[in-house]
Amino acid sequence: MKTTAEIANLFDETKWGKDFARQEVEIIAKYLSMHAYSKGEEIFRQGDKERYMAFITKGRVDIIKESHDCLEKIVVTLSPRTHFGEMAFIDEEPRSASAIARDDVNMLVLSRESFEHIAATHPAIGMKMLRNIARMISQRLRMTTGKLVYTRE
């Protein structure tokens, strides 16, 4: 079991960590839990209803989308220091894709309930976290929109 200081150090090494002062990181770390998955293990399945987001500290995670004809396609492979799961975390809808451990994976998990507690007790940190999530969703939407551009005849 990792100490809060060890969890804070792991979170500080993620891409999110750079956006927070060390004191803020230590507060956030109190609400994070550490999870480990073996290579090939399912983290969550498309359609699941868990409400958390995760920060990868070790290993890689494949995000897989199932199509209407039941074929699965890797949408992206995420590396350490990145995060995933923010859509279901925010909109409370079922997971839009599956997450599978490509390697042995360690990740920090922030549940929706823990986030709500952070937001209630440390509103400035909660607001900063929401801005990060909004920025990430906006960037992904821009990338998707760019891929959908077509030439007019």
Side-chain angles (χ1 to χ4, degrees):
M1 178 116 183
K2 299 234 183 249
T3 66
T4 302
E6 290 171 321
I7 290 174
N9 290 340
L10 289 169
F11 182 76
D12 213 11
E13 293 172 10
T14 68
K15 291 180 181 179
W16 270 51
K18 68 179 174 43
D19 295 330
F20 296 90
R22 180 62 189 193
Q23 183 180 9
E24 294 171 322
V25 167
E26 289 173 2
I27 290 167
I28 294 166
K30 293 176 187 175
Y31 297 95
L32 296 171
S33 57
M34 192 81 198
H35 295 255
Y37 294 87
S38 299
K39 180 179 180 175
E41 189 174 354
E42 182 178 280
I43 298 168
F44 56 73
R45 171 75 34 208
Q46 184 173 326
D48 286 354
K49 296 183 181 182
E50 294 98 355
R51 296 178 352 164
Y52 68 84
M53 60 183 294
F55 304 89
I56 304 168
T57 61
K58 175 189 159 205
R60 295 172 298 162
V61 173
D62 287 333
I63 303 300
I64 298 172
K65 185 77 174 163
E66 187 176 303
S67 64
H68 296 292
D69 53 3
C70 296
L71 295 175
E72 291 184 335
K73 181 178 180 184
I74 296 175
V75 177
V76 66
T77 299
L78 300 171
S79 300
R81 301 182 58 230
T82 59
H83 68 280
F84 63 98
E86 68 280 350
M87 284 175 48
F89 178 82
I90 291 295
D91 67 14
E92 300 182 26
E93 293 292 321
R95 297 285 183 186
S96 62
S98 299
I100 309 293
R102 176 171 279 233
D103 312 303
D104 289 343
V105 170
N106 290 339
M107 59 189 212
L108 300 171
V109 170
L110 177 66
S111 70
R112 176 66 185 249
E113 295 76 21
S114 290
F115 168 74
E116 288 173 357
H117 195 269
I118 291 171
T121 56
H122 304 280
I125 295 173
M127 192 63 146
K128 207 183 252 193
M129 293 175 86
L130 278 176
R131 274 196 300 272
N132 276 5
I133 293 168
R135 186 180 316 114
M136 176 52 67
I137 291 173
S138 175
Q139 288 170 350
R140 289 181 182 164
L141 181 59
R142 286 177 188 273
M143 284 182 1
T144 301
T145 302
K147 290 177 183 178
L148 296 176
V149 171
Y150 62 93
T151 306
R152 297 172 94 186
E153 292 185 22

